[in-house]
Amino acid sequence: MNLDYAAPVREALANDQPVVALETTVITHGMEYPHNRDVSLAMIDAIGETGACAAILAIVDGRVTVGLDDELLETFATAERDSIAKCSRRDLPGIVGLGQSGSLTVSGTAMVAHAAGIDLFATGGIGGVHRGHPFDVSADLTELGRTPVAVVCAGAKSILDLELTLEVLETQGVPVVGFGTDKLPAFYTRSSDFAVPTVARDVAEAAAIVRAWRELDTGNGMLITVPVPEDSALSEADAEAAIVKAVAEADANSIVGNAVTPYVLGRIVELTDGRSLTANKALLVNNAGVAAAIAVESIRS
Ligand code: PSU
Ligand code: MN
C-alpha cells in the first residue's frame, strides 16, 4: 500500500515510539461539527500526554494518509456528510482509484494501520450484528478476524445485537478483553448482560495481553473494551428507550446498509437531548488515553 505519512508519525514509527491510530468515520459521520473536531483534538492531547503519537487515518484525494494535520482535520470535520464516503475494506479501491476522499471505519482504519506498521487504535464503538437484521454484520468484525490490530473501544452500542456480535467475534478468533470489567461495555452504558472472555484489571495486565498477542502472532485483531466514564454514562433505561426508537425509525424510513449507523447515532443524540453526545465524547477521550497508556506500557518489555 502506498502511504503518505505526516512527519511526526513517520518519525515516531522510525524511532519505535508508541503510535495510536484514530479513525475518521467518527469525525465525518459520527458527530456534528465542532464536536467532532474538538473531541479529535482532545484525543490527540490525551495520547500525547502519555508520550505516544496520534495518527488520524483517512483517504485524501485518493492518497492513503497516515496522520491528518490540523488543516485536514478541519476539512474532514466540516465536510458535508455525503461529500466524503464512509470507507470499510470494500470501499478502498473505488475511492483510491477515483482519487476521491474517504473517511475510514474501524475496518478501513485497521487495514491502513496495519499497512503503516501501527497495531493499536482507539475509537468509540465498533460495528456489529444489527438488531433484527442478523445478516447485516459489520465489516469491522471480519476485519478483526484477519488483521492484527488491537482496537480500544467502549464496546458496541446496543443498537446492535451484542450477543450475536460476541458470537461472530469468537468465530473470527478475536480476543475480547474487558478493561476493568467482566461484562461487555455497551457504549453509552458501562455494562451489558454479556460476559467478556478475558479481563484485564489495569494497564499493566492489558499490556501483558497485547505483548502475548504480538508474540503469538495469531494474525488477527483484538478488542479491548473500556466502560464509558461513570459521570457521563447514560442510564440503561434512557439508552434503551432512545435506541429502540431510533432503530424503529431507521426501519420505518427504509435506511439501509452503511447509512444505518450514522442515522441511528444522530437520532439518539436528539432523543437524549444531547446526553448521548456528552457520553460519546467522554468515552472517545478516555479510550484514547487508555490506548496510549497500553501502547507505551506494551513496548517496554
Ligand atoms: N459506532 C459508533 N460511532 C461510529 C461508528 C460506530 O459509536 O462512528 C462507525 C465506525 O467507523 C464503525 C462504523 O467502524 O460506524 C460501523 O459501521 P457499519 O455499522 O455500517 O459497519
Ligand atoms: Mn452494516
Side-chain angles (χ1 to χ4, degrees), residues 23-46:
E23 63 154 303
T24 28
T25 295
V26 64
I27 298 172
T28 55
H29 292 71
M31 223 176 261
E32 299 295 327
Y33 185 83
H35 303 286
N36 52 2
R37 178 204 55 199
D38 294 346
V39 77
S40 299
L41 293 173
M43 291 172 83
I44 292 170
D45 280 350

Side-chain angles (χ1 to χ4, degrees), residues 86-213:
K86 169 184 169 186
C87 295
S88 68
R89 172 175 278 268
R90 64 139 198 219
D91 303 298
L92 264 75
I95 297 298
V96 170
L98 299 177
Q100 297 170 352
S101 290
S103 57
L104 296 167
T105 66
V106 168
S107 91
T109 306
M111 252 180 102
V112 171
H114 178 56
I118 303 169
D119 73 356
L120 262 168
F121 108 72
T123 189
I126 59 157
V129 183
H130 279 272
R131 266 198 211 180
H133 298 274
F135 288 101
D136 183 355
V137 179
S138 176
D140 294 352
L141 304 186
T142 42
E143 192 66 40
L144 285 164
R146 67 194 291 178
T147 304
V149 168
V151 181
V152 177
C153 70
K157 268 187 218 70
S158 42
I159 61 173
L160 302 169
D161 186 319
L162 298 185
E163 197 170 17
L164 291 185
T165 298
L166 281 171
E167 288 292 345
V168 174
L169 287 168
E170 183 187 5
T171 305
Q172 294 291 329
V174 178
V176 179
V177 178
F179 183 80
T181 177
D182 59 1
K183 293 282 180 357
L184 183 70
F187 198 83
Y188 300 124
T189 55
R190 289 177 57 82
S191 188
S192 69
D193 294 337
F194 307 105
V196 288
T198 306
V199 175
R201 284 173 300 184
D202 52 24
V203 169
E205 287 193 353
I209 294 167
V210 167
R211 279 199 299 269
W213 164 73

Side-chain angles (χ1 to χ4, degrees), residues 210-253:
V210 167
R211 279 199 299 269
W213 164 73
R214 287 180 184 142
E215 279 159 24
L216 289 164
D217 199 13
T218 58
N220 62 4
M222 167 153 76
L223 209 52
I224 300 171
T225 60
V226 186
V228 54
E230 197 131 30
D231 53 1
S232 54
L234 265 58
S235 77
E236 214 163 302
D238 284 357
E240 187 61 22
I243 287 165
V244 167
K245 195 157 194 288
V247 170
E249 288 181 13
D251 280 341
N253 290 307

